[in-house]
Amino acid sequence: MGWADHYRRRDALDAVLRDARRDPSAPLIVDPDVFGSLHELLLALDHRWQNKLTARMENAGLDGRVDEERVTAELAADEPVLRAVLDTHLSLDSYRTVGMTP
């Protein structure tokens, strides 16, 4: 993936999250020029969550022992729309199916 594709995907994810601010449980609009399916869009949103969470866990680890629940809760508070979209659109079964973790 080149930089142009990266920025196009980032902008599409940002647009989905902006739209979801009104109602995270509403159907997500998939830009077919960027994502091949709703599943691919959800994978990309989960990837964004996992990247943010990993960075925070690593940063918290610099100060010693990591309270994973606290770090996760803080990220959820900072990214409420992203967390709500993932929680709403991915059941536990679908997390397991695609190898994601809630």
Side-chain angles (χ1 to χ4, degrees):
M1 174 187 329
W3 285 109
D5 291 333
H6 167 79
Y7 291 123
R8 201 163 43 118
R9 288 174 63 89
R10 181 203 61 194
D11 293 346
L13 292 174
D14 290 345
V16 166
L17 293 174
R18 263 193 315 277
D19 289 344
R21 275 188 287 204
R22 283 171 276 199
D23 181 7
S25 65
L28 301 176
I29 298 170
V30 179
D31 181 343
D33 294 330
V34 181
F35 298 104
S37 66
L38 176 60
H39 178 78
E40 189 178 323
L41 170 64
L42 290 170
L43 283 171
L45 288 168
D46 185 69
H47 183 69
R48 179 177 279 194
W49 172 264
Q50 294 299 331
N51 281 343
K52 289 175 178 280
L53 184 60
T54 298
R56 287 188 182 219
M57 291 288 184
E58 289 176 357
N59 190 44
L62 296 174
D63 296 329
R65 192 161 188 266
V66 176
D67 181 346
E68 293 179 9
E69 288 184 22
R70 180 186 57 79
V71 173
T72 301
E74 288 173 356
L75 178 57
D78 290 344
E79 297 286 345
V81 177
L82 176 57
R83 187 69 259 160
V85 166
L86 291 172
D87 288 344
T88 300
H89 293 277
L90 292 174
S91 68
L92 286 177
D93 288 337
S94 56
Y95 273 115
R96 289 186 196 102
T97 301
V98 297
M100 297 182 199
T101 54

